[in-house]
Amino acid sequence: MNALVGTPVKRKEDFRFITGQGRYTDDLVKPGQTWATFVRSPYAHAKIKSVDTAPALALPGVVAVLTGAELAADGVKGLICGWMIHSKDGSPMKAGNHPALAVDRVRHVGDQLAVVIGETQAAANAGAEAVAVDYDVLPAVLAPEDAQKPGAPQLHDDAPGNQIYDWQLGDKAKTDAAFAAAAHVVELDLVNNRLVPNAMEPRAAIGEYDLGSGVYTLTTTSQNPHVARLVLSAFVGVAPENKLRVIAPDVGGGFGSKIFIYPEETVCAWAAKKVGRPVKWTADRSEAFLTDAHGRDHVSRCALALDANGKILALRVHTIANIGAYMSTFSSSVPTYLYATLLSGQYDIAAIHAEVEAVFTNTAPVDAYRGAGRPEATYVVERLVEEAARQLKLDPAELRRRNFITSFPHQTPVIMTYDIGDYGASLAEAMKRADVAGFPARKAAAAKAGKLRGLGYATYIEACGIAPSQAVGSLGAGVGLWESAEVRVNPTGSVEVLTGSHSHGQGHETTFAQYVADKLGIPIDTIEIVHGDTDKVQFGMGTYGSRSAAVGLSAISQACDKVIAKGKRFAAAIMELPEDEVTFEDGRFAGIHTNKTMVFAEVALAAYVPHKYDPSKIEPGLKETAFYDPKNFTFPAGCHICEVEIDRETGTTRVVNFVAVDDFGTVINPMIVEGQVHGGVAQGIGQALLEHGIYDRETGQLLTGSYNDYAMPRADDVVDFDVGMTITPCPSNPIGVKGCGEAGAIAAPAAVMNAITDALGVKTFDMPATPEKVWRALRTSP
């Protein structure tokens, strides 16, 4: 049987998707179903003086109108942030209250304060329009740099000055001493622009309540259904955990935005019991812009210290992180332990000190978005390194080589221990593919045509797996970050793999099946991957942080090992051999010193027909479970090189070449991995050139609340990417994988902006590099 791992097997799940057979939450219609529409605040900040539901209740087709007061009266508590951060002085973060339906105050445009349940969507919409809310409009604060200024509007009483925490990581004294002794200091002020996730499928939820059993069922667009059930039961109080089933069917993308527990799904589950019927809500795209957790939104002042030979001595950064109006499920961790711990990049830096102030503003909550802290860290490090090379008049590749980590394991000054890597190999391969040697000639040719050309590098590293549990627990995480798997072998030899990971575009039904097919030596078509239903799958932690293969597939691998071990016991008993004389390879159990063999399917059948072995000595059946908690994070790394051309007359920037060379460790399916890189790079280019969530600083309205105003990257905004790989297998998990889902979004913004600033000959330039901003820079720069 030919090995499947490492080959571009076509995705098993694609047939049902491209033929319209996918089953997304909005496709489902439950018997007796009603529809929900939320009443949302048109103001960024206001007191709720009164809510008059009578006009809505008088309309035909309106079933009920429910408010925050009723939700609170039923004992449903506010949403939580699951990662505790402590400030420099040791005090816990000031989390504020996050009600699923606002009661006394709304804190951003789109904040929900009531829900209308209708016989039809139209009836619910009409009812929501009819609800009369009397507001006392308050001043709002929108920009993170304004949140702590004297006189700024206060969002939460328990967070004075709107500060959630003032946190630090690293050795300040050592860092300050290194800067004092440095021959060169490079300083930059950087803005990491706010992004709106825009998954293909908007969020949706259907709540159901069965009066006979007292069981709630929530079907929702979640990346981690078990975590949703845990939070909604243990902390929010919607229902006991054993009386709450959460199903995440086919989910059309997430990029992190569907990790979190949102008000709408909370309300739908609760409302189903209130009205005695299923309650369905699907966001329209305008609601998604206003209420999905946004990403990024950092303002940073950063500096790099170097000696006379270009050796990096120290790095320091002060960041103000905009958390929005409320703390989301994991929002506290993104600008702290997912950000500052990666500020060493690929470089051997002796001293690093990071300070982060997280603040509330009257904007949508901000949480993890593809990369989650790692893109922000890479942007700081790589913009500094590129600027240092220019100031020192060194080739940017040479400066990086001088500072690369070359010995592993390597302990950084910001917690992480890198286990393996070969950064020089990725850089060399990327330079070869990008034809860096030929760039001067291309730049000269562009100049003759009246265009500018620039070349930008980004050598990135990320920490994936978001584990091990003891490590993240010591840093404040409220949950363990292991993963679970169950491998069920049927009597016919077919296999069902139940995983706590969730697939919403990653291709798990293919890659997981590829690995299991090789591991057990069986055809891939006999393997079924099951996920996304808390009644079917054992407790699992879900998918985020590029952890599905590194953690989820490692759990599957361990469960398969247990299946093989038990299979050897069956085979040994049936073939009348000692257990230690039975081997398993390529789907066949064989005696070492005999010609006796049994194929996997024969052993599977025998496991359920205990005629040829003693069931008192070997328990019948072939089903095994594993919980895998890794020893370390994984550390994907690589080098991306971007080449841009700028039109002097219009300011239009065109990406003319983009090379991505990544080290993801063992690659299960190179086609799927390449697709992940393509998607990530496209999103990274979108951030650098096009995307920006902008609020009006006077009214608090989201000015970029539709595709008319928020510029998503399109096909003609990108180029055919040149994707390459180098491989150093990860030693921290049994498969050697590292994770690939976020790399493109992590490296691309820095690579693009380094190319643009190279072309323009400027030091700083804020993302996105829109034509207008570039045009103005061309007319103001020397």
Side-chain angles (χ1 to χ4, degrees):
M1 182 174 175
N2 294 328
L4 293 177
V5 169
T7 64
V9 174
K10 289 183 179 180
R11 288 176 24 130
K12 295 175 65 176
E13 51 269 72
D14 282 353
F15 177 80
R16 75 171 186 274
F17 292 144
I18 64 176
T19 58
Q21 300 304 306
R23 288 294 176 264
Y24 300 90
T25 299
D26 190 55
D27 292 329
L28 306 177
V29 178
K30 305 293 183 176
Q33 177 180 291
T34 60
W35 279 258
T37 300
F38 286 86
V39 180
R40 300 189 182 277
S41 170
Y43 302 109
H45 198 194
K47 290 181 180 178
I48 302 171
K49 296 172 68 175
S50 65
V51 181
D52 185 1
T53 63
L57 288 168
L59 294 177
V62 171
V63 175
V65 182
L66 305 173
T67 65
E70 294 166 272
L71 187 73
D74 282 355
V76 178
K77 298 182 284 293
L79 304 179
I80 66 162
C81 179
W83 197 305
M84 173 56 69
I85 299 295
H86 290 84
S87 291
K88 297 173 186 175
D89 62 5
S91 62
M93 66 187 186
K94 312 301 189 293
N97 184 36
H98 187 185
L101 291 174
V103 177
D104 58 349
R105 192 163 19 154
V106 287
R107 293 178 171 87
H108 68 94
V109 173
D111 205 355
Q112 56 284 322
L113 59 128
V115 62
V116 178
I117 313 297
E119 295 286 0
T120 64
Q121 188 68 69
N125 291 346
E129 289 286 340
V131 173
V133 184
D134 188 9
Y135 296 98
D136 180 7
V137 179
L138 301 172
V141 60
L142 287 305
E145 60 269 31
D146 295 337
Q148 299 182 83
K149 289 181 178 178
Q154 180 80 26
L155 271 74
H156 296 273
D157 293 340
D158 63 347
N162 295 314
Q163 187 184 87
I164 302 166
Y165 51 74
D166 180 9
W167 174 88
Q168 66 177 350
L169 183 67
D171 190 326
K172 185 178 189 302
K174 186 176 180 180
T175 302
D176 288 347
F179 270 88
H184 302 281
V185 173
V186 177
E187 297 178 315
L188 288 176
D189 290 332
L190 298 174
V191 174
N192 211 291
N193 43 321
R194 176 181 281 246
L195 303 176
V196 182
N198 284 301
M200 187 179 294
E201 178 201 22
R203 289 188 295 117
I206 303 173
E208 299 172 81
Y209 178 73
D210 183 77
L211 182 62
S213 64
V215 171
Y216 293 78
T217 299
L218 175 65
T219 304
T220 186
T221 50
S222 175
Q223 296 178 217
N224 46 357
H226 279 99
V227 175
R229 185 178 71 158
L230 174 65
V231 171
L232 290 172
S233 60
F235 300 100
V236 181
V238 170
E241 190 173 15
N242 64 315
K243 294 292 186 179
L244 176 60
R245 178 185 186 184
V246 177
I247 303 170
D250 289 329
V251 174
F255 311 120
S257 70
K258 294 174 183 173
I259 298 171
F260 323 119
I261 316 307
Y262 283 96
E264 294 88 354
E265 57 197 4
T266 304
V267 170
C268 283
W270 164 75
K273 182 178 181 181
K274 296 291 285 187
V275 302
R277 295 167 62 182
V279 176
K280 178 179 182 178
W281 168 80
T282 301
D284 61 32
R285 192 57 70 176
S286 294
E287 281 184 294
F289 270 98
L290 290 173
T291 64
D292 286 2
H294 292 181
R296 317 292 192 248
D297 210 350
H298 284 193
V299 177
S300 298
R301 173 157 289 182
C302 48
L304 195 69
L306 305 97
D307 69 12
N309 296 315
K311 175 70 176 74
I312 300 173
L313 304 175
L315 182 150
R316 64 184 172 204
V317 60
H318 177 270
T319 294
I320 302 174
N322 191 351
I323 299 297
Y326 302 104
M327 297 203 76
S328 181
T329 311
F330 292 114
S331 59
S332 58
S333 65
V334 175
T336 52
Y337 291 112
L338 299 183
Y339 165 62
T341 55
L342 275 301
L343 286 171
S344 192
Q346 297 184 3
Y347 309 113
D348 185 3
I349 305 176
I352 297 174
H353 184 246
E355 296 176 289
V356 178
E357 295 180 84
V359 296
F360 287 119
T361 64
N362 295 109
T363 62
V366 177
D367 209 319
Y369 174 65
R370 197 170 192 169
R374 283 71 58 88
E376 296 92 318
T378 297
Y379 194 67
V380 167
V381 175
E382 290 303 295
R383 290 288 292 112
L384 281 170
V385 171
E386 196 85 357
E387 180 58 28
R390 293 168 190 171
Q391 292 189 19
L392 295 172
K393 301 189 186 311
L394 286 173
D395 178 83
E398 175 57 28
L399 179 61
R400 287 174 167 84
R401 287 193 198 96
R402 291 185 189 183
N403 289 281
F404 276 158
I405 297 161
T406 57
S407 178
F408 297 90
H410 174 84
Q411 178 64 56
T412 75
V414 279
I415 297 179
M416 294 298 183
T417 302
Y418 299 168
D419 51 10
I420 198 168
D422 188 345
Y423 310 141
S426 298
L427 174 63
E429 179 66 15
M431 292 179 69
K432 176 183 174 183
R433 288 173 174 265
D435 186 22
V436 171
F439 174 70
R442 296 193 297 275
K443 183 173 183 176
K448 288 182 180 179
K451 306 288 179 68
L452 296 172
R453 281 249 175 170
L455 193 72
Y457 295 75
T459 51
Y460 76 95
I461 190 166
E462 56 170 325
C464 292
I466 315 300
S469 295
Q470 283 194 339
V472 295
S474 70
L475 302 179
V479 292
L481 292 178
W482 42 265
E483 194 48 87
S484 68
E486 182 178 317
V487 176
R488 298 176 181 173
V489 181
N490 297 317
T492 59
S494 63
V495 172
E496 298 167 34
V497 178
L498 289 75
T499 174
S501 298
H502 186 275
S503 182
H504 40 277
Q506 293 86 350
H508 294 170
E509 293 176 37
T510 304
T511 53
F512 286 10
Q514 278 182 259
Y515 183 81
V516 172
D518 275 8
K519 187 86 172 177
L520 300 182
I522 59 178
I524 191 172
D525 292 339
T526 65
I527 301 166
E528 193 74 20
I529 307 298
V530 181
H531 65 94
D533 187 337
T534 61
D535 268 16
K536 293 182 178 179
V537 179
Q538 68 290 335
F539 195 102
M541 296 309 299
T543 292
Y544 40 84
S546 300
R547 72 192 305 269
S548 294
V551 188
L553 190 54
S554 290
I556 292 171
S557 179
Q558 288 193 337
C560 286
D561 287 339
K562 293 179 181 181
V563 165
I564 292 168
K566 190 173 183 182
K568 286 181 178 179
R569 295 182 65 196
F570 287 126
I574 295 167
M575 294 189 295
E576 300 179 330
L577 297 171
E579 288 181 25
D580 60 1
E581 291 188 10
V582 175
T583 64
F584 180 76
E585 185 176 356
D586 199 20
R588 186 175 296 273
F589 297 89
I592 295 175
H593 304 297
T594 74
N595 60 358
K596 295 180 178 180
T597 64
M598 295 182 72
V599 297
F600 185 84
E602 291 176 306
V603 171
L605 180 60
Y608 295 95
V609 185
H611 295 167
K612 296 183 179 179
Y613 61 89
D614 186 350
S616 67
K617 294 182 180 179
I618 309 176
E619 182 181 3
L622 198 50
K623 179 184 76 170
E624 297 292 341
T625 298
F627 286 75
Y628 177 77
D629 201 337
K631 298 178 292 183
N632 194 1
F633 297 86
T634 66
F635 298 97
C639 176
H640 291 200
I641 299 177
C642 176
E643 187 171 331
V644 300
E645 185 173 86
I646 297 175
D647 188 315
R648 291 177 179 271
E649 296 302 316
T650 65
T652 300
T653 300
R654 187 167 63 93
V655 175
V656 294
N657 191 28
F658 198 101
V659 171
V661 175
D662 303 284
D663 179 358
F664 298 134
T666 301
V667 173
I668 307 294
N669 188 314
M671 177 191 71
I672 289 177
V673 168
E674 188 169 333
Q676 289 285 328
V677 174
H678 282 202
V681 170
Q683 285 180 287
I685 291 173
Q687 177 175 12
L689 297 182
L690 300 162
E691 299 183 50
H692 195 184
I694 302 173
Y695 286 87
D696 184 281
R697 294 201 179 191
E698 296 296 323
T699 66
Q701 298 295 324
L702 181 62
L703 299 178
T704 52
S706 75
Y707 291 138
N708 286 329
D709 308 295
Y710 188 90
M712 293 280 287
R714 298 177 298 185
D716 58 355
D717 293 312
V718 297
V719 68
D720 287 338
F721 307 129
D722 184 351
V723 176
M725 296 176 201
T726 59
I727 296 175
T728 56
C730 176
S732 301
N733 63 64
I735 305 169
V737 296
K738 296 182 181 182
C740 67
E742 298 165 294
I746 291 169
V752 174
M753 294 308 294
N754 282 338
I756 290 171
T757 53
D758 177 51
L760 295 176
V762 299
K763 180 178 177 181
T764 57
F765 197 92
D766 290 340
M767 298 185 287
T770 62
E772 179 189 0
K773 287 164 67 174
V774 173
W775 183 87
R776 292 186 183 280
L778 284 167
R779 277 143 187 82
T780 57
S781 59

